[in-house]
Amino acid sequence: MTTGLIPGAPTPDGPTGGQMPHQRHDPAGREALHVDDRTRSSVITARAAASFEPVGRSVASARSFVRDTLQGWGFADIVDDAVVLTSELVTNAVVHAGTSADVLCLRSEDGVRIEVADRYPEREIPLQGSPVNMGSPDREGGRGLQLCAALAGRWGVDYSPTHKQVWFQLDLPERPVGTRAAGPALPLDLLPLADGRVRVAVVQIDRTGAISSWNEDADDLFGYASEQVVGKPLTDFAAWPHTPGTSTGIAEALQLSRWEGSYGIRGADGRVTPVYASHLRVRDTDGEPSTVCLLVRNHERAVLQTPLRVPAGDSASDSTSTDPFEVFIGSPAPDDLDGLLQRTVERARDMLDGDSAFLLLATDDETELEVRASTGLPSARQRFARVPVEAGPGRYGSARMPAVHEDLTMVPGAVPLLRGTGMRSVVTVPLKVEGRLTGSLGVAAEGPGRYSNEEALRLQFAADRIALAVESARLGELERLRRGSLSFLVEASDLLAGTLDRDQTLALMAQMTVPTLATWCAVYTIADQASEPYLSYVLHEDEELIDGIKSLLSKIPPPDPVPTPGARVWSAPAESAHQAALRTSMRSLGLGEPVRRVSAGIGPTLATASAVGGETVVLPLVARNRVIGMLTLGKPTDEHFRQEILELAEDLSRRAALALDNARLYSERTAISQSLQRSLLPPELPEIDGVEVEVIYRAAGEGNEVGGDFYDLFPISDGAYGFAIGDVCGTGPNAAAVTGLARHALRLLAREGLSGPAVLERLNSAILDEGARSRFLTLLYGEMRPQEDGSAELKVVCAGHPLPLRLRQDGTVEPAAEPQPLLGVMEDLELYEQTVTLDPGDVLLCVTDGVTERREGTRMLGDDGLADVLTTCTGLTAGAVAARIMRAVERFASDAPSDDMAILAMRVPEVHKD
């Protein structure tokens, strides 16, 4: 059996959502006197009405409407009771009955009457003389009527063929005659400070917001005469404070029935005078509304400011009375939220002699409840689990009001938290702060029928005592989490931005989530839209479990690459792990198919099942409107993720996705760049009979295979070979373009049978044709023909390049050509070629300026230093000569070379006679 605190007729759940009501505030008049004169004898002095659509958010709007109306009327003493009753009645109308609701507030001299009417078409009209039925005790709705009976001075229900109206009357608390508020006698030095003559500006504002009256004190305070301001809007003179998140402006404040606060008035001298104001909304005999504003200087605010009211019965003698909060929680109260919640559930269980207790906290939108503390229940299995409040399967029944469930077996799923725990009876009460649902407290017992409405009232009283403290602690925890999240994201962003390596980015993603956000994680990547997700990285806080999780995930289909943001639960790993562990356990007991060495495999299988047996969520990695992978986070057996952790993981996934995509783009572009660079160099050197050739090439800069230097050696025709070594001015794509142009043009022109000078002159014209992209080029070009006598004939043109050096057998070194103008500067060049004969044993060394300009401080290797090294290479092969030159260049300075270097060594071997 399930009963509410107040029995009543339940109706189907209505839709959720929200819409601001259309409000109307009408002054009291004759038209107000017709409202249920049978139950009121006092005169109605004001009325306010509003209509609310049949959507869930209307309940909160109705609470705000009633609260604002009563506070404007100065009835703060009864605001809380009125808000509670209105909330319950409007909930019945817009949520359960699914109809619109009309709320009417009527003010009289001794209290307030509030009427809530709905339009439920199937409502039966009770027969006259039939006994009043408050509803079946087996059903959950209808608590609003019982609350009316408990809190209101008078209440009633009126039916008509088209609608039902519930009304309640709240009387003002009695006060001593002639006393509204009083303060104690104070010493003179403690009295508020004021000028010799206190000036109170009285300003009247008409319904359009224009000033209609301006007294002499206002003239003295602000420097304007009456004729200067009458007829002008108050907004022309008011300096209203614009506080972020505050919607009330001066226009709204002037429409309220009563308002107090501070703002500024801009005086005739242009200065702003801070004032404290008290606004009162009035109407004249013709019903025309206006607002009377009383203003004093802000430091004289005590003249107008309403003193805080002390509830009846409070006095200095009560200061030693016991705090109800400390009576329930104990002293001292825990400082942390978890400790406070755990102490709360333990005291609640003991207070009602229950077998278990639990406390859930509501999300900011009040749509879900999250398990935060429990006792007598498997808390590890339930901690941070979430259940809906009002709609959907497994909803948390009656979370917004007290409820008693005498036997949960009669209503399975009413309290999802207790499913499968053996608890039969339970009482739950809401935690509310200023009318907003902040949580739910429940106590359960294994036997049925253990709790009644009396226990619910006791538990509700306790919940009211601790609700504010719990909410304050929750907000403090949330603030700490947000600060920690910001620090975490800043550090994560710095780490992810520090690398463009794909594998390192994957490792960073996993290492940042484990164990900070999850116990284990797996990263899936997607190469392109047509590819399936690929398991790229797995990490667990216990390294011994990584292989087991990786093996498990490789055997199940990957999660679907859904681009929808947010975390979604993925149950496949836990289910697969449990099934594998079950099969292994059955085989170990001889109940399944036999398997070799079962005892060696059961341990890792069970450990893997435990590691991934909790909640697993998948977050998409979306970059540039494309899903490039998934980040999978998991918890061990029976654990859940906190919503704040999932939100932090979602932020991290967005940053990680962009970093991973940047790494992919960088890798692709690097591969393309290196491929293009390699195309600028010859694929391989040809073998030349009778001549040894060796090339060493070093490009400066990380990731560069080709710089501004280049070389080439290629066959021309009839046993002749062309060779070249050059240096393009500058670096980057433009220099690379000239490099490619020069190498390919040399081959093409040389094979056309042109001489060396003609080849270089045409190359010079091609470089100049590049326009703004052209670069000057130093180039050594020659043609080589091996001779029958074992020598080699070379025809060389040196266009602005370091001169080639010839090493003879006797160790002498001499230049093998003369310098000529470089290419890419002048249009008309007169180049000539020189003939050099390499005798057997001779070496021709060609280098770029990166070799000769190698520096160590103020020292430079230079042409002379290079010649000195070359003199020591007599009798060496071409490869040995090139290697010795490179070794000498590298050892000349300790720093890495800052310029490209190319070395081309050609040697005519000695002829050995038998």
Side-chain angles (χ1 to χ4, degrees):
M1 176 182 296
T2 302
T3 66
L5 194 77
I6 302 301
T11 57
D13 291 341
T16 61
Q19 182 175 343
M20 291 303 294
H22 171 69
Q23 299 185 12
R24 58 183 189 274
H25 296 262
D26 301 326
R30 296 179 181 178
E31 62 275 13
L33 298 178
H34 73 279
V35 184
D36 194 19
D37 291 325
R38 298 170 299 170
T39 60
R40 302 188 314 277
S41 58
S42 58
V43 176
I44 301 302
T45 59
R47 58 179 286 162
S51 297
F52 300 89
E53 297 297 323
V55 290
R57 190 57 185 170
S58 293
V59 179
S61 300
R63 291 197 297 263
S64 299
F65 164 69
V66 172
R67 181 180 299 276
D68 293 342
T69 299
L70 297 191
Q71 287 181 341
W73 289 347
F75 293 167
D77 301 286
I78 58 176
V79 164
D80 292 337
D81 289 347
V83 168
V84 169
L85 295 178
T86 303
S87 178
E88 297 297 339
L89 298 179
V90 174
T91 298
N92 289 339
V94 303
V95 175
H96 298 302
T99 75
S100 61
D102 296 329
V103 179
L104 175 65
C105 300
L106 301 174
R107 182 182 68 183
S108 63
E109 297 175 351
D110 55 355
V112 171
R113 172 187 168 107
I114 297 178
E115 300 173 356
V116 179
D118 64 32
R119 297 182 178 85
Y120 189 59
E122 299 176 5
R123 181 79 63 184
E124 295 182 357
I125 301 176
L127 298 176
Q128 295 204 6
S130 60
V132 177
N133 180 16
M134 297 294 288
S136 170
D138 296 335
R139 307 170 74 178
E140 291 187 11
R143 295 173 181 79
L145 301 182
Q146 189 85 10
L147 287 175
C148 287
L151 300 179
R154 288 175 292 172
W155 67 279
V157 182
D158 297 331
Y159 283 99
S160 74
T162 59
H163 72 282
K164 175 178 72 80
Q165 176 179 283
V166 180
W167 62 270
F168 59 87
Q169 176 90 22
L170 295 175
D171 298 328
L172 293 177
E174 294 184 2
R175 297 181 180 275
V177 176
T179 301
R180 172 75 178 188
L186 295 176
L188 295 180
D189 56 346
L190 296 182
L191 295 177
L193 182 64
D195 293 341
R197 176 181 180 276
V198 177
R199 291 176 173 82
V200 179
V202 181
V203 182
Q204 194 159 0
I205 313 298
D206 63 22
R207 67 186 311 164
T208 66
I211 299 173
S212 59
S213 177
W214 183 270
N215 72 342
E216 293 181 1
D217 280 356
D219 188 353
D220 292 339
L221 285 175
F222 311 121
Y224 295 108
S226 177
E227 57 271 13
Q228 293 179 279
V229 295
V230 170
K232 295 182 180 180
L234 180 62
T235 53
D236 290 353
F237 306 95
W240 194 262
H242 295 284
T243 303
T246 302
S247 59
T248 303
I250 186 169
E252 291 81 2
L254 292 175
Q255 297 298 317
L256 299 177
S257 60
R258 183 178 293 277
W259 184 90
E260 280 189 29
S262 299
Y263 53 91
I265 295 294
R266 190 172 290 102
D269 57 359
R271 297 181 180 180
V272 175
T273 301
V275 298
Y276 189 84
S278 176
H279 297 177
L280 178 65
R281 187 79 162 162
V282 298
R283 63 183 176 91
D284 59 19
T285 55
D286 296 329
E288 185 69 17
S290 62
T291 303
V292 177
C293 305
L294 306 181
L295 303 95
V296 296
R297 293 186 179 92
N298 194 59
H299 67 273
E300 298 173 339
R301 60 192 305 160
V303 176
L304 298 180
Q305 189 171 18
T306 302
L308 297 176
R309 301 178 187 174
V310 180
D314 288 358
S315 62
S317 61
D318 296 331
S319 60
T320 58
S321 62
T322 305
D323 185 356
F325 174 80
E326 292 189 358
V327 170
F328 182 66
I329 294 299
S331 182
D335 295 331
D336 61 306
L337 177 62
D338 290 336
L340 176 61
L341 299 182
Q342 193 60 36
R343 180 87 63 89
T344 298
V345 295
E346 291 172 357
R347 293 297 173 89
R349 178 199 57 190
D350 296 342
M351 183 178 70
L352 298 187
D353 193 23
D355 297 313
S356 64
F358 52 89
L359 193 148
L360 302 87
L361 295 184
T363 56
D364 291 337
D365 57 3
E366 303 180 22
T367 60
E368 288 184 308
L369 293 170
E370 183 180 68
V371 180
R372 292 300 304 270
S374 63
T375 181
L377 296 174
S379 58
R381 177 172 64 88
Q382 301 291 349
R383 186 168 169 80
F384 300 123
R386 287 196 168 202
V387 291
V389 173
E390 292 179 344
R395 72 182 182 89
Y396 193 96
S398 304
R400 299 184 183 279
M401 59 192 71
V404 176
H405 300 274
E406 295 186 351
D407 193 345
L408 290 177
T409 59
M410 303 298 293
V411 282
V415 184
L417 177 64
L418 300 180
R419 186 182 295 112
T421 61
M423 299 297 161
R424 296 280 298 276
S425 56
V426 60
V427 54
T428 62
V429 296
L431 276 69
K432 293 186 177 182
V433 176
E434 295 183 350
R436 183 175 63 86
L437 179 68
T438 60
S440 179
L441 176 63
V443 177
E446 295 179 353
R450 287 280 299 275
Y451 302 113
S452 63
N453 290 344
E454 182 179 353
E455 284 80 9
L457 290 173
R458 291 175 58 197
L459 189 62
Q460 183 66 71
F461 179 82
D464 293 341
R465 302 284 76 74
I466 58 99
L468 186 59
V470 168
E471 179 67 2
S472 177
R474 186 189 73 85
L475 293 177
E477 180 194 64
L478 185 60
E479 179 65 20
R480 289 190 296 272
L481 284 174
R482 287 175 176 170
R483 290 183 180 178
S485 299
L486 289 176
S487 300
F488 173 80
L489 290 175
V490 169
E491 182 179 358
S493 299
D494 288 343
L495 291 174
L496 291 171
T499 179
L500 287 172
D501 182 80
R502 176 182 177 276
D503 294 337
Q504 188 174 1
T505 302
L506 290 172
L508 284 174
M509 290 170 57
Q511 292 167 7
M512 285 185 292
T513 57
V514 176
T516 305
L517 306 181
T519 306
W520 64 272
C521 85
V523 183
Y524 290 84
T525 56
I526 303 174
D528 51 59
Q529 297 296 334
S531 302
E532 292 293 326
Y534 174 75
L535 181 61
S536 298
Y537 203 92
V538 176
L539 184 65
H540 191 281
E541 61 183 6
D542 185 353
E543 294 183 358
E544 296 181 355
L545 298 176
I546 295 177
D547 292 339
I549 297 176
K550 186 181 300 183
S551 176
L552 172 70
L553 295 178
S554 63
K555 296 177 182 178
I556 61 177
D560 296 331
V562 178
T564 305
R568 52 192 173 92
V569 177
W570 186 33
S571 59
E575 294 174 356
S576 179
H578 292 160
Q579 292 174 2
L582 180 60
R583 289 193 299 268
T584 304
S585 300
M586 293 180 65
R587 286 195 296 264
S588 67
L589 298 174
L591 301 177
E593 297 180 0
V595 64
R596 297 180 181 178
R597 300 170 65 182
V598 170
S599 59
I602 186 172
T605 302
L606 293 177
T608 302
S610 176
V612 302
E615 188 174 46
T616 302
V617 297
V618 178
L619 297 106
L621 298 174
V622 180
R624 299 175 175 91
N625 298 322
R626 186 174 73 88
V627 180
I628 63 172
M630 286 87 69
L631 177 62
T632 303
L633 306 180
K635 286 282 190 178
T637 302
D638 296 334
E639 288 195 21
H640 297 268
F641 285 97
R642 294 190 61 174
Q643 184 64 23
E644 293 81 6
I645 295 299
L646 294 180
E647 292 172 357
L648 179 58
E650 185 177 356
D651 285 340
L652 175 63
S653 68
R654 287 193 291 268
R655 290 166 169 79
L658 188 59
L660 184 61
D661 198 48
N662 288 339
R664 176 188 63 83
L665 293 175
Y666 177 77
S667 299
E668 292 178 355
R669 293 181 181 180
T670 300
I672 294 173
S673 174
Q674 292 175 348
S675 177
L676 292 175
Q677 289 184 56
R678 285 191 292 269
S679 70
L680 301 179
L681 296 178
E684 58 184 9
L685 297 178
E687 294 184 3
I688 305 175
D689 293 337
V691 178
E692 298 174 1
V693 179
E694 182 65 26
V695 173
I696 295 179
Y697 186 88
R698 296 286 188 272
E702 183 180 355
N704 292 329
E705 293 192 11
V706 176
D709 295 359
F710 70 95
Y711 68 91
D712 201 0
L713 180 64
F714 55 91
I716 298 176
S717 63
D718 300 332
Y721 293 86
F723 66 91
I725 183 169
D727 185 0
V728 179
C729 172
T731 59
N734 290 335
V738 176
T739 300
L741 172 65
R743 195 176 73 82
H744 293 292
L746 286 175
R747 289 196 173 207
L748 179 62
L749 295 173
R751 287 170 179 171
E752 290 293 327
L754 300 176
S755 64
V759 169
L760 267 60
E761 288 171 1
R762 284 165 173 76
L763 176 59
N764 180 66
S765 298
I767 295 174
L768 292 176
D769 289 343
E770 291 292 303
R773 296 184 299 173
S774 65
R775 294 288 190 274
F776 66 80
L777 167 66
T778 67
L779 179 64
L780 172 66
Y781 174 74
E783 295 180 2
M784 177 176 58
R785 289 179 183 270
Q787 304 297 313
E788 293 181 358
D789 61 357
S791 63
E793 184 183 75
L794 284 70
K795 294 182 179 181
V796 181
V797 180
C798 186
H801 199 75
L803 299 179
L805 298 179
R806 176 182 179 179
L807 172 65
R808 296 182 181 274
Q809 282 186 303
D810 58 3
T812 59
V813 175
E814 60 184 5
E818 296 178 356
Q820 299 185 57
L822 50 77
L823 307 181
V825 177
M826 298 181 294
E827 294 185 0
D828 297 328
L829 293 178
E830 294 183 2
L831 302 176
Y832 59 92
E833 61 184 8
Q834 297 173 271
T835 301
V836 179
T837 300
L838 295 182
D839 296 326
D842 289 353
V843 176
L844 184 69
L845 178 65
C846 308
V847 300
T848 58
D849 59 5
V851 174
T852 57
E853 294 180 0
R854 177 73 163 147
R855 294 179 179 275
E856 173 69 17
T858 59
R859 297 187 308 119
M860 186 174 70
L861 180 62
D863 296 335
D864 295 339
L866 179 62
D868 292 341
V869 177
L870 185 59
T871 57
T872 65
C873 297
T874 305
L876 299 181
T877 64
V881 171
R884 178 169 292 187
I885 297 297
M886 178 56 71
R887 188 163 52 251
V889 172
E890 290 177 343
R891 292 177 177 176
F892 186 81
S894 57
D895 296 337
S898 60
D899 195 4
D900 307 325
M901 293 185 294
I903 300 174
L904 172 61
M906 294 181 290
R907 178 177 181 271
V908 178
E910 300 177 10
V911 179
H912 297 283
K913 296 181 180 180
D914 296 334

